[in-house]
Amino acid sequence: MKTQPRIVYCHCAYAQVVPADVKQDVLRRLTESGTSFDAVADLCEMAARRDPWLAGVACQEPTQIVACYPRAVKWLFSSAGAPLPERGIRILNMRTESAETIAAALGTAADEDA
Amino acid sequence: MSAPLVRSLRVVLYEGAGSRSIPDADRFAMMATLLQGGYAVTSVRTGSRTVPEGARTPIVVLGRFENAPPREAESDSAAAPIYFRDIEGVDAPAIASIVESVHAEAGTGRPGGWKPWFPVIDFGRCTNCMQCLTFCLFDVYGVSPDKQIRVQNPSNCKTDCPACSRVCPEVAILFPKYKMGPINGDEVREEDIHREKMKVDISALLGGDIYAALRTRSQESKQRFARERDDKRALEERRKCLNKLQEQLDVPPEVLAALPSLDQIRARTERAVAAAMQGPTPAGTEPQ
């Protein structure tokens, strides 16, 4: 049996760049999914203060990060001294994808790992 | 990137063994409230993972506990204190108050309070040309001991100012909270690289080829200082440069208002160029 992917959700609390309806809907679906997950207020803010928790995320795979553009997330982690591994990390973009698409992606992964 | 390490309080919303389930709507409201307040929250629904991996900070475990706090939560408590709070019959606003009180008790850093606006370098694209170091007027950038450009003072960055990313010839500087790509982290396309408006001649903005000017500065210093300074002309040039900055680089007016004086800019540029010239120098080689 494969390891259940860890899910990390970013609420991007300090800016309005992620559509509010998308992030609220994704959060709602996650809270109703019956799955354990980690939610952070803002990955940028954590990276700025080099929160050691990020290193814990970077060293655990498989992990699915629900946030924004993958290139931004990758280098945010790197800037915090917690570079993400090349494999085992999947980044879902709430700036461009719908809540349905993201939920399906998370659900698909869960099904595959079951 | 260097910034002070601050211990933050992590919240665990625990619904595993020994804690009753929370209605879906309440769970969502609690998490949304805490996240908006700047807290990180781990929702534990099944299993025993109550301490987020990598966490070495104080944790508050919230749950509708049937009896004593669950053993799983106590087992990993050596690295940092774990606080337990029963939230039976407590709504989302009251949950926030509970967490606030634990935050005060634990002495953890205040979450939020600053829009996290700072440059993030895509080292897959960066060529270490130091243009950003030379350009930024607020000492955001620095050079690491191994001569690599780095974001040294992220909190010095001016909120909503993406100017340095626009002068980067490789589109290697991101601002994840910027409105448009590729500065926001969207993929870089060929047209982005060749888009002329993204390549601003920083020397032109400063009124000439600053590198050449600096090279000849010592030779011309006697003449320059002997001449009468034309303050009006200098101010006019500065005004034109600032207008150009605002138009081309999407620089907020408040950032322009906070700009240093012309003399301060020149002095800072000299220091930055000196650092940039040392940057690419191989180890053990004296700078020219």
Side-chain angles (χ1 to χ4, degrees):
Chain A
M1 187 178 69
K2 293 181 183 176
T3 305
Q4 183 79 9
R6 180 182 192 173
I7 296 172
V8 175
Y9 162 87
C10 173
H11 199 57
C12 195
Y14 305 122
Q16 284 79 47
V17 291
V18 173
D21 57 337
V22 174
K23 67 179 182 183
Q24 294 289 342
D25 201 6
V26 169
L27 179 61
R28 183 183 57 77
R29 288 167 187 261
L30 280 170
T31 58
E32 294 174 357
S33 68
T35 305
S36 296
F37 68 100
D38 296 298
V40 301
D42 197 301
L43 277 176
C44 290
E45 190 266 344
M46 295 181 80
R49 58 182 168 80
R50 300 173 68 90
D51 192 313
W53 183 82
L54 296 174
V57 173
C59 72
Q60 186 185 6
E61 52 183 277
T63 292
Q64 300 188 99
I65 301 173
V66 186
C68 57
Y69 290 101
R71 191 165 72 99
V73 175
K74 172 183 177 179
W75 293 109
L76 264 178
F77 272 80
S78 178
S79 73
L84 294 171
E86 291 295 321
R87 302 178 65 179
I89 303 289
R90 184 184 194 188
I91 298 169
L92 301 169
N93 185 354
M94 289 191 290
R95 290 184 74 164
T96 60
E97 304 293 343
S98 68
E100 292 79 7
T101 303
I102 289 170
L106 293 170
T108 299
D111 290 341
E112 288 174 354
D113 291 329
Chain B
M1 185 169 65
S2 60
L5 296 176
V6 179
R7 291 199 324 166
S8 57
L9 178 67
R10 293 197 63 81
V11 181
V12 173
L13 195 57
Y14 183 73
E15 299 177 76
S19 183
R20 287 185 290 277
S21 178
I22 299 168
D24 285 347
D26 292 347
R27 186 184 308 108
F28 169 74
M30 290 171 184
M31 292 203 70
T33 299
L34 292 170
L35 289 170
Q36 206 56 44
Y39 293 101
V41 188
T42 297
S43 173
V44 178
R45 301 294 296 279
T46 56
S48 59
R49 185 168 64 87
T50 53
V51 177
E53 292 83 356
R56 294 294 180 269
T57 59
I59 294 170
V60 56
V61 181
L62 307 175
R64 300 170 68 197
F65 302 120
E66 293 168 353
N67 295 298
R71 288 177 58 83
E72 295 89 347
E74 294 177 328
S75 61
D76 288 345
S77 62
I82 299 181
Y83 302 86
F84 296 93
R85 295 292 182 273
D86 197 307
I87 57 169
E88 181 69 51
V90 178
D91 62 7
I95 292 273
S97 298
I98 289 172
V99 172
E100 286 288 315
S101 67
V102 174
H103 158 72
E105 183 179 339
T108 43
R110 184 79 209 161
W114 169 63
K115 180 179 179 179
W117 180 273
F118 56 91
V120 176
I121 300 173
D122 176 348
F123 284 104
R125 304 190 63 83
C126 177
T127 59
N128 214 32
C129 73
M130 307 286 174
Q131 282 234 39
C132 49
L133 175 74
T134 308
F135 178 77
C136 178
L137 302 174
F138 303 104
D139 291 324
V140 171
Y141 293 94
V143 180
S144 68
D146 60 349
K147 313 293 187 187
Q148 179 71 49
I149 187 73
R150 67 177 177 182
V151 177
Q152 189 163 277
N153 300 304
S155 59
N156 280 9
C157 193
K158 300 303 176 186
T159 302
D160 296 333
C161 177
C164 58
S165 64
R166 291 200 177 276
V167 302
C168 175
E170 301 298 331
V171 202
I173 299 175
L174 315 176
F175 285 89
K177 297 196 185 309
Y178 190 62
K179 54 192 172 189
M180 294 183 294
I183 293 173
N184 60 13
D186 198 358
E187 289 304 315
V188 179
R189 299 177 296 268
E190 278 301 308
E191 56 263 37
D192 294 322
I193 299 170
H194 297 297
R195 193 183 303 157
E196 287 303 316
K197 69 178 181 181
M198 294 195 65
K199 295 184 176 179
V200 177
D201 184 347
I202 62 170
S203 58
L205 287 171
L206 291 172
D209 183 340
I210 57 172
Y211 294 97
L214 288 170
R215 279 196 296 271
T216 58
R217 175 161 292 185
S218 60
Q219 297 168 2
E220 297 177 350
S221 59
K222 287 183 180 177
Q223 285 184 321
R224 189 169 61 249
F225 287 117
R227 285 197 300 267
E228 184 180 354
R229 293 187 63 181
D230 187 342
D231 289 342
K232 283 188 177 178
R233 184 176 177 182
L235 285 171
E236 180 62 18
E237 287 178 356
R238 175 176 166 83
R239 188 188 62 77
K240 288 179 180 176
C241 290
L242 296 183
N243 287 342
K244 194 171 183 179
L245 270 171
Q246 186 165 19
E247 292 170 7
Q248 296 194 355
L249 306 184
D250 195 19
V251 178
E254 57 269 27
V255 174
L256 294 182
L259 285 177
S261 70
L262 198 59
D263 287 341
Q264 288 173 318
I265 291 173
R266 284 178 174 150
R268 200 215 66 81
T269 302
E270 287 186 14
R271 292 196 302 272
V273 170
M277 291 175 71
Q278 289 179 355
T281 305
T285 305
E286 291 299 321
Q288 299 299 308

